[in-house]
Amino acid sequence: MTSQDIGEQAISKAAEVGMESQLDESEELDVDVRTNPADAAQGKLDSVNINGKGLVMNKELRAEKLDMKTNNIKVNPLKAAFGDIEMEQPTDATACIVLTDKDIERAFNSEYIKDKLKDREVTIDGETVTANAKRVNFSLPGEGKISLEADISLADSETKQIAFTGKPRVSDNGNKIVIEDVEYTSGKNEAPELTQALLNSAEELLDLRNFELADMSLQLKKLDVQKGKMTINADARVNQLPQE
């Protein structure tokens, strides 16, 4: 093992520990810094690759997979020698995030989202009643669609079901996913207020800012919705790599 191998490992480990400190959970995480002795002495890193699996970052939303690769990075060479990456200027990166429908469903049934769907006033058959969304079922059935079903418990103990499909697309500003072409399984929307709350919650969960680390911003580039999984490709602007 050369001294450069040791240097790369030290910087990689420091970045990995820094990223882990910003995650709620991680099943697998690998940060790989690439450089060479001549560039390292001048504070230049060729690239940083981040590969993770089972990362829980924000709002209890789990990412099945996250891959990110940066362009060249300029860092403080003296600090880098001791495994401390202090970027001297921002860099660009590309990111790929894979979400499964089971992970999105889990987030829908988290306390954070449940609180948003609790004690909602809805109008049904001309009467305003208090309703609560119980178990929410989310799936990605294919054909670029999402499917949402929720049991609604009304104040008079009656239970109704909301069920609809929709097509997610990239928002105009590129920082989140919006859901369009909503179709109701029953042919009508019996509780529009609660349906809108479910749609708002879905869009909030799929907001790219949930996957941003400190000193990073993401811009959605491409969205691919298949049966069982959703793949998000984005451009990233990195001001600093994660610090412990």
Side-chain angles (χ1 to χ4, degrees):
M1 179 178 291
T2 67
S3 60
Q4 181 54 33
D5 292 327
I6 295 172
E8 282 184 345
Q9 283 195 349
I11 297 172
S12 297
K13 186 60 180 178
E16 189 174 305
V17 171
M19 184 168 179
E20 282 185 329
S21 70
Q22 297 190 29
L23 300 172
D24 293 332
E25 297 176 31
S26 64
E27 294 173 17
E28 295 178 16
L29 181 63
D30 179 61
V31 180
D32 185 21
V33 175
R34 291 297 177 184
T35 187
N36 62 65
D39 286 343
Q42 300 178 53
K44 296 178 181 178
L45 306 181
D46 293 339
S47 66
V48 176
N49 295 342
I50 299 172
N51 305 107
K53 181 180 179 181
L55 308 182
V56 181
M57 306 176 73
N58 195 8
K59 297 182 176 62
E60 300 184 45
L61 180 59
R62 175 185 181 273
E64 171 67 18
K65 186 179 179 183
L66 183 147
D67 294 323
M68 180 176 291
K69 182 176 182 178
T70 73
N71 292 340
N72 296 339
I73 294 178
K74 177 68 174 170
V75 300
N76 184 311
L78 295 177
K79 291 188 176 183
F82 295 95
D84 182 5
I85 307 176
E86 181 182 291
M87 291 174 55
E88 295 187 342
Q89 61 190 40
T91 191
D92 294 322
T94 57
C96 178
I97 304 162
V98 178
L99 307 173
T100 69
D101 51 7
K102 297 304 179 187
D103 287 329
I104 299 172
E105 181 177 88
R106 170 189 155 185
F108 257 110
N109 290 284
S110 68
E111 290 303 316
Y112 176 82
I113 296 297
K114 279 184 176 179
D115 284 344
K116 288 181 171 291
L117 303 174
K118 185 178 179 182
D119 296 332
R120 307 284 302 203
E121 287 193 348
V122 301
T123 302
I124 297 178
D125 297 330
E127 293 186 12
T128 301
V129 296
T130 301
N132 290 282
K134 297 167 72 176
R135 175 74 189 178
V136 176
N137 296 318
F138 179 94
S139 65
L140 296 169
E143 299 181 348
K145 294 181 179 181
I146 67 163
S147 175
L148 265 169
E149 296 180 1
D151 289 328
I152 308 304
S153 175
L154 305 180
D156 59 4
S157 299
E158 184 183 359
T159 299
K160 287 184 175 289
Q161 187 181 68
I162 292 176
F164 60 87
T165 62
K167 288 189 175 182
R169 72 162 182 84
V170 180
S171 67
D172 292 338
N173 59 15
N175 73 345
K176 66 177 182 178
I177 295 167
V178 296
I179 299 168
E180 298 181 332
D181 300 331
V182 176
E183 296 181 356
Y184 303 96
T185 304
S186 64
K188 65 177 182 177
N189 185 6
E190 292 190 293
E193 299 90 343
L194 205 46
T195 300
Q196 188 59 51
L198 284 166
L199 283 168
N200 291 344
S201 295
E203 292 180 356
E204 182 177 353
L205 285 174
L206 299 174
D207 192 321
L208 276 195
R209 286 169 290 192
N210 290 331
F211 304 99
E212 292 176 350
L213 302 172
D215 297 309
M216 177 192 299
S217 61
L218 292 170
Q219 190 78 10
L220 187 57
K221 188 176 180 182
K222 183 182 177 183
L223 176 66
D224 183 25
V225 182
Q226 299 181 7
K227 185 177 177 62
K229 73 175 183 179
M230 180 182 297
T231 302
I232 300 169
N233 289 287
D235 291 328
R237 184 68 169 171
V238 182
N239 296 310
Q240 284 292 341
L241 289 171
Q243 301 290 320
E244 186 178 9

